Amino acid sequence: MATPPPTPTRRQFLGRLSLPERTYLADALRTETVGGILLLLAAAAALLWANLWPGSYDSVREWTIGPSAPLHLDLSLDAWAKDGLLAIFFFVAGIELKREFVAGELRNPRAAMLPVVAAVCGVALPAIVYTLANAGPGGHPTGWAIPTATDIAFALGVLAVVGSHLPSALRAFLLTLAVVDDLIAILIIAVFYSSGIKFWALGLSLAGLVLFWFLHRHGVRGWYLYVPLAFLIWALMHESGVHATVSGVAMGLILRCHKVGDEKVSPGEHIEHLVRPLSAGFAVPVFALFAAGVAITGPALGEVFTQATPLGIVLGLLVGKTVGIFCGTWLAARFTRAELNPQLKWADLFAVATLAGIGFTVSLLISDLAFPDDPELADRAKAAVLVGSLLCALVATVLLKLRNRHYQQLVDEENLDSDGDGIPDVYQQTAL
């Protein structure tokens, strides 16, 4: 009698991370958490400054600095923050994405399916919700991309403030989701919000990227070479009409993120370790200081819930992101036969999906890009981003707090090191 073929085992979703991946995640999220708290403080400072002393806030934002020739870099501080400092943020995002593809969750196509589908659905549904809200008279469909972004730093800042002990598997899913989300965001910016392309500048910028790749590929070292080259690539990209932050992602993707020989860390991971504090602790908070200062009055808040554009943004973040991410993940898990970690519930993923509805940094950037000729509408869009992100943070806080005691037990089990050798006991038990 023929032996029946073995039943294929179901892959576990949100299972325990490998020890190297867990160590990397802890280091990365520690920096992002501090940056998230600074981001919250910067946003609060911007709101206070803009509402208490609006004249000085606007004058500082519009203060111009930089040379006009030959690449028209005489920019306002606001523009330097949007185009310059956020290039550092997207540079780190590019390294994160490259690392995810070669060493993280995205290296395995089956494992990558869930966060990728979740991210795509978490971009598509908010855009659909916004478009539906702005389909009638008085709507502004060009802002469809505003509610599509997830801000990992803001989300982690909320977790730190409310004291939620989220297990590492859920944090890893949130980070991977945000990395893919950042890639989609930069593609949206490059395709839909670039105009008046100057091909000579774009060609020179691409040539600079080739030189950047060549030097890195042949092991040439020295920050004094790469920093000026990176600035030149950025300046040429800015002059070309393609949004300058695209250059940051491109350079991040060029870096090698796999180890060779006896390397303890890859060059990409080493550079990310050096630049991430600059991005999370300075670049993003300063951008928030110049971007989040909008007038908060009774009528202005009323417009958020009565006008099509801001209402579409709020609904896109709170409903579109949450439902899109959760349903996309559930469907992908069902069709790939992935089995949820028995220590977690789908309600936990729904709470994380709500947390991912916090769209701050990139959403504020796209608010300016979507309405370049209407500053008042851009400000209303930014107010809606703030309100929508705050609502997502409040709902996620409630949902996470309901399970916080269980999360605390899981985190304690993950961190237990009874023999003090620096390796959590759960990994040694697995090895045995």
Side-chain angles (χ1 to χ4, degrees):
M1 184 176 178
T3 303
T7 303
T9 58
R10 300 186 69 179
R11 183 176 55 84
Q12 190 177 90
F13 171 49
L14 295 179
R16 183 183 303 147
L17 304 175
S18 67
L19 184 57
E21 188 69 13
R22 183 179 181 273
T23 302
Y24 166 81
L25 178 76
D27 181 61
L29 295 188
R30 189 179 301 113
T31 303
E32 291 290 353
T33 299
V34 174
I37 294 174
L38 293 175
L39 179 61
L40 293 173
L41 294 174
L47 289 171
L48 288 174
W49 188 4
N51 285 274
L52 296 178
W53 304 282
S56 66
Y57 181 76
D58 291 336
S59 63
V60 170
R61 288 180 70 219
E62 297 304 319
W63 189 51
T64 301
I65 186 173
S68 60
L71 296 176
H72 305 97
L73 295 179
D74 49 336
L75 307 174
S76 66
L77 291 182
D78 180 42
W80 276 109
K82 287 188 296 187
D83 295 349
L85 292 181
L86 280 195
I88 301 173
F89 165 80
F90 279 110
F91 174 68
V92 174
I95 300 175
E96 287 177 335
L97 182 67
K98 180 71 171 289
R99 186 194 172 279
E100 287 292 326
F101 274 118
V102 301
E105 288 292 311
L106 301 180
R107 74 185 185 279
N108 183 333
R110 290 187 63 196
M113 181 67 69
L114 275 78
V116 169
V117 171
V120 171
C121 293
V123 168
L125 194 57
I128 292 171
V129 169
Y130 176 92
T131 301
L132 291 175
N134 286 266
H140 296 84
T142 54
W144 62 270
I146 296 173
T148 61
T150 291
D151 194 313
I152 182 66
F154 202 124
L156 293 174
V158 170
L159 289 177
V161 170
V162 303
S164 177
H165 301 85
L166 207 61
S168 59
L170 286 173
R171 289 178 181 263
F173 177 79
L174 183 62
L175 178 61
T176 304
L177 178 76
V179 168
V180 179
D181 192 283
D182 286 339
L183 172 64
I184 298 174
I186 200 65
L187 290 174
I188 289 173
I189 290 171
V191 173
F192 295 99
Y193 297 109
S194 296
S195 60
I197 306 299
K198 298 178 181 178
F199 288 100
W200 68 267
L202 180 60
L204 289 176
S205 182
L206 294 177
L209 287 170
V210 172
L211 178 59
F212 189 99
W213 172 85
F214 180 84
L215 294 175
H216 182 67
R217 178 70 176 78
H218 288 80
V220 178
R221 297 184 179 183
W223 64 267
Y224 46 85
L225 293 175
Y226 288 100
V227 171
L229 178 59
F231 180 79
L232 181 60
I233 293 169
W234 171 86
L236 287 166
M237 189 72 74
H238 180 272
E239 177 68 10
S240 74
V242 176
H243 200 270
T245 52
V246 174
S247 63
V249 172
M251 287 183 279
L253 289 172
I254 286 173
L255 298 180
R256 177 168 61 83
C257 292
H258 63 276
K259 291 181 283 189
V260 175
D262 58 352
E263 289 181 338
K264 293 184 178 180
V265 294
S266 66
E269 290 175 300
H270 174 66
I271 294 171
E272 180 190 9
H273 181 74
L274 295 176
V275 179
R276 185 186 289 274
L278 176 64
S279 171
F282 178 75
V284 175
V286 171
F287 165 76
L289 182 64
F290 288 115
V294 295
I296 301 297
T297 63
L301 289 176
E303 290 176 353
V304 169
F305 298 100
T306 58
Q307 294 189 358
T309 297
L311 180 61
I313 294 171
V314 172
L315 293 177
L317 292 172
L318 182 60
V319 179
K321 291 291 285 188
T322 302
V323 176
I325 292 170
F326 178 79
C327 291
T329 307
W330 185 84
L331 289 171
R334 181 170 181 176
F335 285 104
T336 59
R337 298 183 57 81
E339 187 175 61
L340 183 67
N341 182 344
Q343 293 182 311
L344 298 172
K345 298 180 178 180
W346 282 106
D348 299 319
L349 188 72
F350 186 84
V352 170
T354 307
L355 190 67
I358 297 174
F360 189 78
T361 303
V362 179
S363 293
L364 292 178
L365 171 63
I366 297 178
S367 296
D368 281 325
L369 298 178
F371 311 117
D373 301 321
D374 194 340
E376 291 186 4
L377 183 58
D379 282 347
R380 287 201 298 273
K382 290 179 181 180
V385 170
L386 295 175
V387 171
S389 297
L390 179 60
L391 290 175
C392 288
L394 292 175
V395 174
T397 296
V398 173
L399 295 176
L400 293 171
K401 279 296 186 181
L402 293 175
R403 296 269 289 165
N404 200 40
R405 182 175 297 179
H406 178 65
Y407 295 154
Q408 179 68 66
Q409 293 174 350
L410 295 180
V411 171
D412 289 343
E413 291 176 8
E414 290 178 1
N415 295 331
L416 181 62
D417 181 18
S418 56
D419 55 6
D421 64 351
I423 301 176
D425 295 347
V426 291
Y427 292 98
Q428 295 174 317
Q429 292 168 3
T430 301
L432 295 174

